[in-house]
Every structure is written in C-alpha cells, then in structure tokens.
Amino acid sequence: MKVNIIKKKFNPKANLKDYEKEYKDFDINLFKAEIKCFPDGKTNAAYLATDIHLKGPNKNKIALYWEGENGQELKYSFLELSEASSKTGNLLKNIGVEKGDRVFIFLPRIPELFISFLGILKIGAIAGTLFAAFGPQALEDRLKNSGAKVLITHPDFYSRVKKILPQLKNLEKIILIDEKNRVNFLEEKNLEKSPKIDNCQFYYSLMEKASSKLKVSHMNLTDPAFMLYTSGTTGKPKGVVHHHQAILHEKISAKYVLDIKDNDVYWCTADPGWVTGIAYEILGTWALGASTLVYQGRFNPEKWYSLIEEYKVNVWYTAPTAIRMLAASGLDLVKKFDLTSLRHLASVGEPLNPESVLWGIKAFNLPFHDNYWQTETGGIVIANYPNLDIKAGSMGKPMLGIKAAIVDKKGKKLKPNKEGALVLKPGWSSMMKKIWRRPEKYQSYFKNNWYITGDRAYKDKDNYFWFVGRADDVIKTAGERVGPFEVESALVSHPKIIEAGVIGKPDKMRGEIIKAFVTLKKGVKPTKTLVEDIKNYVKKHLAGHAYPREIEFRDKLPKTRSGKIVRRLLKAQELGLPIGDTSTLEDY
Ligand code: WTA
C-alpha cells in the first residue's frame, strides 16, 4: 500500500516542538501541582475550567461564543461563566443535591448545558450527559442505572421523559430550562411566568433565588466528576465514570494535540452527550483559557463555513463523517468564504481515510490531524501533532504520558506491521475510574497489566499506529458508538417483530450504517411501509441516530445452539466474506 506522507515544515510557534523528545522526557508529576488548585492539595475540574481564570488576564475574555439554531447569538466571559455555574451549583444545593448525587443533563446544545455541567461539578455531584436525540428507552436505561436524583431538561423534550417517570424511582426533581427567560435573566428584567408542567421547576426562576457566591467543593483527585453511557457488544449501555483529575490529561492533550493557544478561537463540533464535547469543549480547552464556539444547529456545510469565517476560528476539531460530507459538498463552496483564520485542524471518532486528510490540504491548505481515543480513555491517547509528519490514514503516535502497544492474546508485544489488540498501560489521569455499578465489567477491561481498547490495529516501524477495526460487534455510525444489543432490544419490542440481529455495514460516507435482519410474526407481510414503520419506531423509542438505515426480512436468523443470534455470520454473509467455523451453530 502506498502511503502518502505529509511533510511538516518546522513551526516554532506550535506548542509541541519536538514530539520524540517531549514524549521521552514527559513526566506527569511535573504537572500535578497544576491541578491541586486548593491549598489543601485538593481539586475541582470545574474550578480549573472557569474560576481559576478570574485571578488572571482571561477574566473578561470570552469563554463561550454561542450561536443558536435560529441565529441568536450570545457571549459569556470567563467571569460570567464562572458566576452562572456557581449560581447553578447553589440552585442545585437549594433543591437538595449533595456530593456524589447524579444530576443528568438532557438538553439541546444551549448555554445552560455547559453552565449546568460546570455547576454540578462545582458542588461535587456527578454530571451525566444525554444526547438530545435519545428516546424514552435510551433515557430510561441511563437514568435508571445511574439512579439520577435530578434531571435538567427542556420543555420540548419533556414528553419523552414523562413516559418513563414511573420507572425512575430515584428521580426527585426535574428542572426545565425556560429559554425565553434567558435574556430577561441576563438583563436583570422581570421573568415571564412559565406555564405549569407537572411538578417540574423552572431554571431561571430558581436561578433568581440562588447566590453567585459558592464555596466550590474541594475534591480528591480521584473523586467522580462525570459519567457517560457508552455501548459494548452485549447488554445495556454502561456508565463510564471519570474523575476530577481527568482534566489534567485533557488540558495537556488540548495543548499539544489540538495546539490551543491563549488567543485562539476554538470550535469543536461535538456534542457534550459524547465524551469529546466534555473533554475538549468544556474541561481541557477551557482550562487552557480558549474562547470556544458552540453552534446549536445541525450539520450544514454552508453554515459551518460561515461560522468559521464569522468567528475567525483558529482551531477546528471535528469528525470524519462531517469531513467527508463537506468534501462531497465541493471545493467551490469552500472558496466562497474567507477561512484564512484556520491554523490547525483535527479529527476524531472513527477512521479518517487518507483522502479526507488530503482534502483538508486542498480546501484549507491544512491537513486534518487524526487522533484516537475512547469514552473510557477520557482523552486523546494516539494522535498526529503539529510538528510531526503525517502518514495519511494513520492515527499517529501515542500521546505524551501514554504507553500504547499492539499485543497478542497473551499480552505479548507484536513486531511492527503485525495486527493485534491495541492496548494501553493503565494509569494516565483521564482513564475511567469505574463502570457504574458493574465492577466486574470494569475489571474485564484489564488483562496482563494492559488496558484493552477492544480495537485491532498495527504499528509500523516508525511507531505510527494504524487502525484496523473493532474486535467486537460495536458499531460506529457517523462517529456515534452504537451497541447492537440496544438496537436489537428496541426492534424486538416492535409489535410485528420476533427476532432481530444488528450489524455495522461499511458505508463510504458514514463509516458504517446500522443494518438489521429481522424475522416477523406469523402472517405479517414484509412491505416497504413496514420498513419505514420499523425505522421510525426505533428512532422514536431509542434514538434518532441509532436506527437501522437498512432492514432485511429473514425467515430465520443464524443462532448458536444456546439460542444467541450470531452477528458475525450475518456480517460475513452481508459482506461476502468466509463464514468461518459454524460447528457451534444450530442448523441454519
Ligand atoms: C473508534 C470517541 C479509528 C474506535 C472519542 C474506538 C477511532 C471508538 C478513532 C471509541 C480514530 C475513535 N480512528 N477509530 N481516530 N477514534 N475511534 O467511545 O473504535 O465514542 O474504540 O469515543 O471509536 O468511540 P467513543
């Protein structure tokens, strides 16, 4: 295979001057003092992302540029962000939230999402984020497992929550964001009265009564700060818990991988329902004092370019599917905008194909820098860097402080160019702390003194890592991680379906799409209308992004003798690959 190497000219202004040297010399202990931000040696990640700036020159600098889906614009300085999040912390305390309680956020990408997240961390509670696309089933699984005590959501989303309230025994309070009062509140005008909705309370009414003076909780470095549900091959989604010290690795990687500088305007297109939106839209990047752009609206090439132009974005962090979609919308569109503010481009979430790296050069005169990590790793672990040549298609080299290797089943390191399991040496600061209420699941990530990523890869003789694929059935569609089990469960709850098997099918644009194989109840006709009905059913019950784009009806699905559907076989059949050992299967 011919590899395209993008040679870099030495850039003396980049934060990382010499990768090899800095990697060798890196000592995390030299950074530890930074996060022990209180005299008693304790910490708080939200304090480090906001309040810490109040003592320095960033106090009145814009932390958040926000643009709503209808074009509304707002700015919050670090001071304003700090005060708003402290007030939210007090608001939560006033309604009974205590250290360690889970407070979940189910919101569109509006300022209150970011403010609430910080407020929750400031009082030592654990923040959980939820994608706006989630339906009742996805919400129930997460809110029930986490035992969330408070949910912060939006009146437009409430109907989805209401359906599952009887199942949520631990949920004591629901706060709705009364968006129409945002500006009234900011301008200290009287609030408009909100209509009564069940027992919900309204955010800005509560904010009016809350003080902005907050004693931020002093946390141990390894106290839990936030949690995210993510998917594996089997079972329901699992709650990955991260600690306050995660911010250390996130800050260092934001500096050296994303090359964030003090005066940068930075745009991360991710949603905080996903770990990227927490690590590099809230914690790591605000800890560095970057001005961050948040756009509430959906993907739209023209709008995206206009945002880069208008806000003079310097560093842009996005994802492969978006890059491929931008490329498909053509170079002529790019040329209509002045995008010369851009200095550094990065991408995460799924394999970045070489053409996309090179398209960056054609369109913006800059390559996209691929980097690799997971919800569980809490921050970037393998990356391409400003002053390091890029081998297009490679994920790059291990991040400072990270030891990565390719090993065989016994944990033995493999020679260059040999495919094996991608593993990491445990111990970096943003490594997950636990899987909520599933200690045995957490333990299953560690073998032979390695953290097992579940990905297959190889490294070449120059120590560049190349992604091969997942070792399990986890699906990555447009960068979103989807567990086949969740989709199968949603499918079989459809009144006309008996069984379902779900796989990721390679797709040029989205990396993979979800394909479902289903058997129908006796007498049900497999029609086109039924296909649409099933798609809508999954969208509505589970999540807008986790529905099968392709559905195939089958009389029978391949199963093991113990009755488990064999996705591996469905995938092999779909892709025309050898089907392997079938001796454990029931007659098929
Ligand atoms: C995949 C995302 C190839 C991988 C922050 C991983 C990637 C999973 C890359 C984690 C990349 C992420 N190249 N594959 N640069 N980045 N992945 O938890 O399979 O949503 O295990 O976190 O995405 O997905 P998650």
Side-chain angles (χ1 to χ4, degrees), residues 40-94:
D40 55 5
K42 303 230 172 176
T43 191
N44 190 300
Y47 177 92
L48 284 162
T50 55
D51 301 9
I52 199 149
H53 298 301
L54 306 191
K55 294 185 195 131
N58 287 335
K59 180 175 169 185
N60 295 311
K61 179 180 167 182
I62 301 304
L64 172 63
Y65 288 105
W66 177 76
E67 187 158 326
E69 57 186 349
N70 303 318
Q72 321 92 294
E73 291 182 11
L74 275 179
K75 293 179 204 165
Y76 290 78
S77 66
F78 277 101
L79 175 64
E80 287 161 339
L81 194 61
S82 158
E83 284 184 354
S85 53
S86 288
K87 244 184 202 212
T88 305
N90 276 324
L91 172 166
L92 292 168
K93 275 186 161 177
N94 293 347

Side-chain angles (χ1 to χ4, degrees), residues 265-280:
V265 176
Y266 161 73
W267 184 28
C268 170
T269 58
D271 188 286
W274 192 36
V275 68
T276 312
I278 292 179
Y280 300 108

Side-chain angles (χ1 to χ4, degrees), residues 5-22:
I5 299 182
I6 298 152
K7 289 266 175 209
K8 297 279 191 63
K9 266 200 259 116
F10 178 67
N11 173 2
K13 289 194 189 139
N15 290 335
L16 192 65
K17 311 276 185 273
D18 179 347
Y19 167 80
E20 304 298 347
K21 182 176 180 315
E22 308 254 0

Side-chain angles (χ1 to χ4, degrees), residues 274 349-351 370-371 373-375 455 467 470 476 481:
W274 192 36
E350 38 164 338
D370 186 20
N371 52 73
W373 54 296
Q374 306 179 298
T375 305
D455 287 312
F467 183 82
R470 284 293 303 175
K476 266 273 161 170
R481 181 163 158 187

Side-chain angles (χ1 to χ4, degrees), residues 184-228:
N184 291 335
F185 177 81
L186 292 174
E187 293 175 1
E188 296 180 17
K189 290 189 185 140
N190 287 338
L191 301 188
E192 272 178 56
K193 215 172 147 46
S194 298
K196 190 162 165 47
I197 304 182
D198 298 346
N199 288 327
C200 301
Q201 289 170 289
F202 284 92
Y203 179 74
Y204 282 110
S205 313
L206 295 170
M207 281 290 267
E208 268 197 329
K209 291 177 217 125
S211 157
S212 58
K213 295 262 169 301
L214 175 75
K215 189 173 173 318
V216 173
S217 288
H218 291 201
M219 307 301 287
N220 295 318
L221 301 190
T222 53
D223 279 338
F226 62 94
M227 64 193 289
L228 283 146

